[in-house]
Every structure is written in structure tokens, then in C-alpha cells.
Amino acid sequence: MAARLVEREKQLETLRELLGSAGRGRGRVAVISGVVAGGKTSLLEGFTQEAITAGALVLEAAGSRAERYLPFGILRRILDAAAPHAPDVHAYAVSLLDQVPSDIADADCAMDAGMAVLPHLSTALLQIARDRTVVIAVDDVHHGDDVSLAFLLCLARRVRQAGVLIVLTAAARLGPAQLAFHAELQRQPNCTGLRLPLLTAEGTGRVLADHFSPAAAQRLAAECQETTGGNPLLVGALIEDGLRARETSEPFQRLAPAETFERAVMDCLYRGDPELLAVARAVAVLGDSGSTHLLSQVAGLHVKATEQALRDLGGCGLLHGAAFRDPAARDAVFEALPPGALSALHQRAARLLHQEGAAALDVARHLLAARRTGEEWAIPVLQEAAEYALVGDERELALQCGELAVASCPEGPRHAALNSRLVSIVWRSSPAAAESHLRQLARELADGLLTDRDLVQTVSCLVWMGEARRAGEAVRHLQASGREAVAAGRLPVYDPGTLASARSWLSMISPPLRDTDAAQAAPTTPSGARAADAIPYDMPDNAHVQAADAMRTALRGTEHAEATVAETTRVLQRYPLSDRTLQPLVFALLALVYAGRPDLALAWCERLLGECSARNAPTWQAALSAVRAEISLRQGDLPGAAAQARHAMSLISPQSWGVSVALPLSTLVEAETHMGNHEEARSLLEQPVPEAMFDTLLGLHYLRARGRSHLATGRYHAALRDFLNCGELMQSWQVDAAELVPWRLDAAEAWLALGKPARAKEYTEQQQRRETGTEGSRTRGLLLLAAARTGTDLSARLKRLTEAVETLEEGGNRLHLAHALGELGGGYRALGDFNRARMLVRKAWHVAKSCGAEPLCRQYMPGHGDGEVPVPAGPAGGEAEQPKEVEVLSEAEARVALLAARGHTNREIATKLYVTISTVEQHLTRIYRKLKVKRRRDLPDRLSDVCLPGVA
């Protein structure tokens, strides 16, 4: 769609005046110049139509870059246009042209031969103008051949007394070959030059108004001007795209460049000189960051030619500064480039940028766009770019840089190091996606190609993905090879201390891989290499060793809690969160949990989650969220544990979790079980899990969670089997710590459910003999609760339950506290102390409610299970009858008693009832006497359910 002749009225009026002059026998010459696609052809066509309407004879021709070296090209087209109107003139002129030899090799001689007939040809054409006005219109005259241009000059000198108007269109910038022609033409007194500028914003708005409402045209004008620069061809193309899109888009949408606009961009470039297209391609490749010197090198042009092309591109509205006005123009240039050419341009740009010392990321983007493996110099650039991309949270870019670096590097130690880093980058978002790279890394590990720095990290990743046995075999083989090398007087491939570190990490996560003989064998190198217990403190992968040591200390029992806290704190304080330290930090947090310090673990976990929240690292967040869920579970926050576990599992795929899925899955199953969502827990247990998971510490969590689900749903034998299986594994692995999994206490609970109290007592006593925990430890509270359940003497049972409550209140699991409170209330009910029983059961209900444990809430519902009878409704559904305890009190005393039973202080009661504190104290004295209680906490908790007017 061509833009109408807007802001061309002055030029068109000038042409009309020149046509009138020619009609009066005063021949004129007009030269219309302007930028590429600036509307010269449209103005010429519009004028020639008017000339034809006015009765003039129009003879049209156009120059062509392809026919520029064809002699008499434009002249023959003019003569062909005159043939129908003056056949005799045409025949005479053709005969003259045929007399010119066409086989003259020398250019100057050929030019002289042509020049000899030009005066005769001019005279012949002027004969046509004797009877009517003649308009000779030549478009793109700058592409004309030399002889035709000489003819036009010859004719221009002879039309001053003839009815001829010569109208030529030419480029704004002329080459050396055309400069002489135009200089001579401009010297003619009858020559008029017309310059066409680009459209102004007002002019663009006028063009838009032909297709849109005035309001829409005014709204779109500024943006259209910004996109097109006022180039009429681009304006028309943008309008056409907008009209086509308007049929399906929402009203008031912007004019979005599409196919027509992109074609118009390429039309502009192909109409201009070849340098225009070459520089446009260079600008598209480099963007606005390229200097003129760099652009010239990429385009393969001289700097001056590049500068001129940039001015031309800006003049025709394609560029603004050194960049395309709209991304669609850049995309059009890319689409028109052959793939091989585009790749070569990016490769050249990357090399040149690297030579100029450009930033690694800028160079890497071109290397990636080239879509081919890089050269030797490109590998370190890609490495550096990947690290900068990670710092800038551009994970996808980092991944692409890492992949290209690996693909560009030949097999060997350097390739292995690059592959190791690539695995770390992929691991951040999807460990499963790194599997193919990890397999290759495992082969490079076995071949001795990895660095000591990468070895432990590779082993750690293999264990995560369930390849612990494979990793263990590789480490054992490398240790054996190392011993052989030492015996032969050679340096081993890997430092023995590094292999010992890997072995330590392996045996901690997967205890079946423990090999004491291999672990104790610590060969020394000929140069006196370090033993496994003398790993350098500044070794980066020492985080794995320290975390493994902290975990082993934690699993020795709660009597080592202080040592565990010291060791884990050292790990957490020293090592920042990174690809290499993620797993050590996760297990350091779990060590704190197993040491009975979930409060410390929570503080550190929240801090680490805060660090990675702003990083695009789903795997980091998933692993830490799983630990956060386990902490919430052990603190008795069931909804929080379930939410955190679900969040963790949603961040990465089940395949990406590998054997570590045991942690969030077991937490979620146990939380759902305690909340009474047994169907949900059952569906979670039906999910497939890796078989290798059951050979890991975290697999014990899963076995226990499955057992608790079986126990809660009446499948007692299945539950007992899981608990005993846990015990067998923990004993054989030498990690028999109740803080990890209290399997004996779980088994005792299962035996009780099966009606075997003697067996339950046996397992409880086994745990008692092993118990070395501190007074406030979680396992001690559980042990006291289990001992009370298996005991037969009521007074001893009450003593143990009271101690269990006190222990759990100091910081244990609130869910276990609810159990202990409820059972203590039941004990007092059996003893006949109903007031205390009701108070304890109500407290158990409140604690269970805060935990989200609905089954416990139903069990300890006020009025049920504690000896109370629900208060019946009054007649006809009226209000419930007041309890007898309240009936013996006056209204004022009842108000004070209700608020006191709800836990308000004397000052708070006085404030609420607008009385003095002394009055409250007097009321309480009478209340205690009437209700036969000695202190506030003995007030019947049924009072707190009564509502009286004025008591909120």
C-alpha cells in the first residue's frame, strides 16, 4: 500500500508550472532527488498521470542497476515509448543506433562512437514536440548507462526552445560516475532541482487519517513516526499490516509491524547501493554497540563507505543513531540472510569483539548465534561468559555457553572440567536434564580426567541420581590404582585425600557403601601426600567432609548435640550457598535437626532460602524447602510441613529429585497422615520411587512415613514390618539413633495396636537402655510417652506423662505434646480428678488444633472423651442451659469467672469490665469459695464456652 502524496504538494505544483512552461514552448528539466524509498517514484507517477490527462505525450523509462552497463538502455526505452506515436521517428532513431558498432572493446572508443549519433537522435525526438507537449520521465536515472546519460544531457541543452519537459528522479547521494552528469545538468539554466524530505509527524498523521478515524490517527501518529522515521514506503506498509491485524485484534491496539513492513524494509535496502545492505546486516548483527570501525570490519567495507551508508540508512528512516528503529526491521534483515552467511557474520563479529577486548558476554552471544562450535580462543570466553550469566541470573544463557564450550573442546582433562561445570549449571534447574552430561562425567571420572576439585562434586551428583554404587565402585577402583601407583613410585591420578573425601561422603549418604578396610587405607604419595584425616582446610570440597563428619556426630546420639551444633555451625558459617556447597549445607541442616535443634536449623534454613530466593535456582530452593518442611513436621506444624513439602516437590520434576525425593515425600506423607488425610497419603505412597533410595539415610524417613500411614489406617502388621525394617537397616549401618528414626518407639506403638503390650514394653525398655538424651530432647519426651503407655501402674503412668509433658513443653514436637496432654488428662480422669482432666484435655485439643491434627482434635473434642456430657440445647432450639457452676454465681461474679477461665489477667479483666483491680480480686475470692477451687487454673474450663452479655 503506497502512501498518498502527502507533504508533496509544493513539489507537485512546481512540476505543473514546468509543464505549463513546456506547453508554451519553453522546455524545462526537473530533477527530483531524495532518499531511498522517499516517494520519488510516487511523485513521478502522480505527475505523469496529470500530464497525460492534460494531453501531453509521456515517454517513460527507468534505470536499472542490472542494466547499467548496457549501452543505450534508457534511450531505447524512450524510443520504444515513442514508437506508437511517431513510428517514422522511431525507425530513423533505431537505424542510427544500429550503425554504432557493438563490438568495440575500448570503452572510450565505444563512448565516442555513441556520442556521434546523439545530436541526430535529439533532433529526431524534438520533431515529436512540434505538435504536442512531450514529457520524458526517467526514474532512477542514477542507474542509467553512460551513453544514455550523455543523450539526456544533449537533449537538455536543446529543449529550451521546444515543448519538452524532462523529469528525472535520482538518489540523494550519487556515486563518482553520476556526479559529472548531475553537475552538468544542474548548470543548465532551464534545470530545476526538487528535494523530497521524509514525512513529518503531522504528515504521517494525515496519511493515517485516510485509513483510521481522526482520533485513532492522532493517537497512532507519534508511534508510527518513531517506527518508520517518516519513510512513505514504510508508513504505507505499517498501515497495511495494521489494517490486516485490525480484523482480529482488540481495538486501540498499536500498529505492529508484520510481513508487509518487513518486505518494505528489504525493498529499501535492495533499492540502495550494495553498501547499504552490507552495513544494515552488520548493524543487525552487532546491534547498537558496534563502533563505525567495527561495523566496517564486519561488513567488509572501508570506514568512509560505512559512515556514508550509516548516514543513508538514517536518512531513509531505517536507523535511529546506530540501531534499527524497530526490532522488526532487524528481524527482516536476519530473515533475508542465508543461514551460512548469518553464521559467518556472527563468527566474524565475535572474533573482532574479542580482539577489541569486549566483554565476554557480548562475545559469547555472537558465538552462540553463529550456531557452530567455537575456535580455541572461544572456549575460555564461553567459560567466563557462563559465570557472568549465572551472576546476572541468566541461567539459560549460562547453559548455552557451557554447552558450546563443551562441544568446542576436544576430549581430555579440560573437556572434563568444562563438562563438570556444565552439570552444575544444568543442576540448578533440573538434575534430570543433566543426566546425559553426568554419564559422560562418570566415564571421565573413571578415566582419571577430572580435577580433584570436581571429583567430590561429581560423586555427590551421582549419589543424588541413584548412582551411589557406580560412584562407589569408581572411587574404590581409583583408590586401588592410587595404591598401586604409590607402590610403583608414581604419583597417583587423584590425591588420596580427595578420594577419601569422596568415600566419606558416599558412606554417609549411603551407609551400605561403607568399607572400613578401604577407608582405613590411606596411601601416601611419593611426595608425602596428605592422609584422609589431614584434608587441607582451604580445600573447596572440604564442605562435604565437614558436613559428613557433622552428620556422623549427630547420629551418635543427643549426648553429642553440642559437638554437632559446633561442627554444623562451622560448615554453615564458612561455606556460602553455591552449586558445590548445596548438598553439604542441606545435610548440615539435617544434622542440626537430628541433634534435636530444629530451632537452629530453622534459622539457618530461612537464611539460606532468603539467599536463593532471588536466584533462578529451583533445585536449590527445592532442597532447602524440603529441609524446611522436615523442620516444620518435627515442630508439629503439620499444615506448614505439608505446604513446604508440596512446594519443594513442585519446583523440580520427580525425576530430578532422584533418591532425595525421600525427604519431601516422607514429610508430606507423614503430615497428611497426622492431619487425617489418609487417602492423600495413600496416593502419595503409590508414586514410584527409585529403588536405590532405600539404601540411603533419607530412605529411612520414607520407610517410617509409610509405617505411620499404615498404623493410622489399621494396617498394623504392615506398619510393624516397616518399623522393624528401619531398625534392621539402622543397626546394620551403625546409625541407630532415635533422632533419625525412633523405630523402637514406633514398633512399640504398633505392638500395642496389635494387642501385644508385653512386646511393646520390650521395645520401649530397649530404647530406655539406649537413652542418653538430655532432659529437653525430643526422643526423651517420646520415650516417656511410650513408657507411660506400656505401664500398668496408674501413679507411675501419671508421673511419666507429667514428665513427658514438661519435657515436650520445653521445645519438643507440639503434636507429641498434644498426645501427652490428652493421655495425662485421661489418667487424671481415671483417678477421678475430673476438673484437672478436663483442663488437660482441653489444652490437648487446643495444641492439636494449632498443629492441624484433625484426628486428635476429634478425639479430644470438648465435651467428648473427657467425661463431660455435651450441654443440650434449650427448648425449641433456644440457648443452651447455663452450667450449674455459673448458676451459683452472681452476674458480676460470672463475668469475672468467665474472663479468668479464658486466661485474662486481673488488670485485663478490670479494663474490660470497667472496675478496679481490687474489685476483681474480691470477686475472685468469692468465686474460688463458691466453686471450691484454690487457684485460677482450677476454674472449670467449661466456663470458657459460656457467653454472657458484655463479655467479649
Side-chain angles (χ1 to χ4, degrees), residues 596-604 631 635:
R597 294 302 305 270
D599 53 333
L600 279 179
L602 177 61
W604 277 107
I631 295 170
Q635 290 180 328

PDB file of all heavy atoms in Angstrom, residues 596-604 631 635:
ATOM      1  N   GLY A 596      18.532 -32.575  67.635  1.00  0.00           N
ATOM      2  CA  GLY A 596      17.496 -32.037  68.500  1.00  0.00           C
ATOM      3  C   GLY A 596      17.450 -30.534  68.558  1.00  0.00           C
ATOM      4  O   GLY A 596      16.909 -29.964  69.515  1.00  0.00           O
ATOM      5  N   ARG A 597      17.999 -29.836  67.524  1.00  0.00           N
ATOM      6  CA  ARG A 597      17.988 -28.380  67.498  1.00  0.00           C
ATOM      7  C   ARG A 597      17.270 -27.873  66.243  1.00  0.00           C
ATOM      8  O   ARG A 597      17.864 -27.195  65.406  1.00  0.00           O
ATOM      9  CB  ARG A 597      19.419 -27.833  67.544  1.00  0.00           C
ATOM     10  CG  ARG A 597      20.155 -28.115  68.830  1.00  0.00           C
ATOM     11  CD  ARG A 597      19.421 -27.550  70.054  1.00  0.00           C
ATOM     12  NE  ARG A 597      19.157 -26.129  69.920  1.00  0.00           N
ATOM     13  CZ  ARG A 597      19.998 -25.188  70.322  1.00  0.00           C
ATOM     14  NH1 ARG A 597      21.149 -25.542  70.888  1.00  0.00           N
ATOM     15  NH2 ARG A 597      19.692 -23.921  70.192  1.00  0.00           N
ATOM     16  N   PRO A 598      15.988 -28.198  66.122  1.00  0.00           N
ATOM     17  CA  PRO A 598      15.254 -27.687  64.958  1.00  0.00           C
ATOM     18  C   PRO A 598      15.152 -26.171  64.941  1.00  0.00           C
ATOM     19  O   PRO A 598      14.982 -25.568  63.886  1.00  0.00           O
ATOM     20  CB  PRO A 598      13.873 -28.339  65.100  1.00  0.00           C
ATOM     21  CG  PRO A 598      13.743 -28.649  66.553  1.00  0.00           C
ATOM     22  CD  PRO A 598      15.122 -28.995  67.013  1.00  0.00           C
ATOM     23  N   ASP A 599      15.255 -25.549  66.116  1.00  0.00           N
ATOM     24  CA  ASP A 599      15.195 -24.096  66.168  1.00  0.00           C
ATOM     25  C   ASP A 599      16.389 -23.477  65.440  1.00  0.00           C
ATOM     26  O   ASP A 599      16.235 -22.534  64.636  1.00  0.00           O
ATOM     27  CB  ASP A 599      15.153 -23.619  67.620  1.00  0.00           C
ATOM     28  CG  ASP A 599      16.299 -24.208  68.453  1.00  0.00           C
ATOM     29  OD1 ASP A 599      16.778 -25.315  68.116  1.00  0.00           O
ATOM     30  OD2 ASP A 599      16.718 -23.563  69.439  1.00  0.00           O
ATOM     31  N   LEU A 600      17.587 -24.007  65.693  1.00  0.00           N
ATOM     32  CA  LEU A 600      18.770 -23.512  64.987  1.00  0.00           C
ATOM     33  C   LEU A 600      18.692 -23.852  63.497  1.00  0.00           C
ATOM     34  O   LEU A 600      19.039 -23.038  62.644  1.00  0.00           O
ATOM     35  CB  LEU A 600      20.038 -24.135  65.584  1.00  0.00           C
ATOM     36  CG  LEU A 600      20.586 -23.506  66.864  1.00  0.00           C
ATOM     37  CD1 LEU A 600      21.829 -24.256  67.323  1.00  0.00           C
ATOM     38  CD2 LEU A 600      20.905 -22.040  66.643  1.00  0.00           C
ATOM     39  N   ALA A 601      18.246 -25.070  63.205  1.00  0.00           N
ATOM     40  CA  ALA A 601      18.120 -25.477  61.804  1.00  0.00           C
ATOM     41  C   ALA A 601      17.158 -24.562  61.069  1.00  0.00           C
ATOM     42  O   ALA A 601      17.396 -24.188  59.911  1.00  0.00           O
ATOM     43  CB  ALA A 601      17.643 -26.927  61.723  1.00  0.00           C
ATOM     44  N   LEU A 602      16.070 -24.173  61.726  1.00  0.00           N
ATOM     45  CA  LEU A 602      15.083 -23.294  61.103  1.00  0.00           C
ATOM     46  C   LEU A 602      15.691 -21.934  60.784  1.00  0.00           C
ATOM     47  O   LEU A 602      15.497 -21.394  59.680  1.00  0.00           O
ATOM     48  CB  LEU A 602      13.875 -23.135  62.026  1.00  0.00           C
ATOM     49  CG  LEU A 602      12.788 -22.173  61.544  1.00  0.00           C
ATOM     50  CD1 LEU A 602      12.205 -22.636  60.222  1.00  0.00           C
ATOM     51  CD2 LEU A 602      11.698 -22.017  62.588  1.00  0.00           C
ATOM     52  N   ALA A 603      16.435 -21.373  61.712  1.00  0.00           N
ATOM     53  CA  ALA A 603      17.037 -20.054  61.493  1.00  0.00           C
ATOM     54  C   ALA A 603      17.997 -20.093  60.299  1.00  0.00           C
ATOM     55  O   ALA A 603      17.967 -19.215  59.431  1.00  0.00           O
ATOM     56  CB  ALA A 603      17.763 -19.597  62.751  1.00  0.00           C
ATOM     57  N   TRP A 604      18.840 -21.104  60.256  1.00  0.00           N
ATOM     58  CA  TRP A 604      19.781 -21.209  59.143  1.00  0.00           C
ATOM     59  C   TRP A 604      19.067 -21.509  57.825  1.00  0.00           C
ATOM     60  O   TRP A 604      19.447 -20.984  56.770  1.00  0.00           O
ATOM     61  CB  TRP A 604      20.809 -22.309  59.439  1.00  0.00           C
ATOM     62  CG  TRP A 604      21.941 -21.827  60.295  1.00  0.00           C
ATOM     63  CD1 TRP A 604      22.160 -22.110  61.605  1.00  0.00           C
ATOM     64  CD2 TRP A 604      23.014 -20.983  59.885  1.00  0.00           C
ATOM     65  NE1 TRP A 604      23.306 -21.483  62.060  1.00  0.00           N
ATOM     66  CE2 TRP A 604      23.854 -20.787  61.015  1.00  0.00           C
ATOM     67  CE3 TRP A 604      23.358 -20.363  58.693  1.00  0.00           C
ATOM     68  CZ2 TRP A 604      25.001 -20.004  60.976  1.00  0.00           C
ATOM     69  CZ3 TRP A 604      24.505 -19.588  58.638  1.00  0.00           C
ATOM     70  CH2 TRP A 604      25.313 -19.413  59.764  1.00  0.00           C
ATOM     71  N   ILE A 631      11.646 -29.706  59.200  1.00  0.00           N
ATOM     72  CA  ILE A 631      11.714 -28.958  60.465  1.00  0.00           C
ATOM     73  C   ILE A 631      10.306 -28.659  60.978  1.00  0.00           C
ATOM     74  O   ILE A 631      10.009 -28.845  62.167  1.00  0.00           O
ATOM     75  CB  ILE A 631      12.512 -27.660  60.266  1.00  0.00           C
ATOM     76  CG1 ILE A 631      13.971 -27.961  59.917  1.00  0.00           C
ATOM     77  CG2 ILE A 631      12.436 -26.786  61.514  1.00  0.00           C
ATOM     78  CD1 ILE A 631      14.772 -26.738  59.478  1.00  0.00           C
ATOM     79  N   GLN A 635       8.466 -29.921  64.450  1.00  0.00           N
ATOM     80  CA  GLN A 635       7.956 -28.954  65.428  1.00  0.00           C
ATOM     81  C   GLN A 635       6.450 -29.071  65.621  1.00  0.00           C
ATOM     82  O   GLN A 635       5.887 -28.369  66.451  1.00  0.00           O
ATOM     83  CB  GLN A 635       8.312 -27.537  64.970  1.00  0.00           C
ATOM     84  CG  GLN A 635       9.805 -27.232  65.055  1.00  0.00           C
ATOM     85  CD  GLN A 635      10.132 -25.835  64.607  1.00  0.00           C
ATOM     86  OE1 GLN A 635       9.461 -25.279  63.725  1.00  0.00           O
ATOM     87  NE2 GLN A 635      11.160 -25.241  65.195  1.00  0.00           N
TER      88      GLN A 635
END
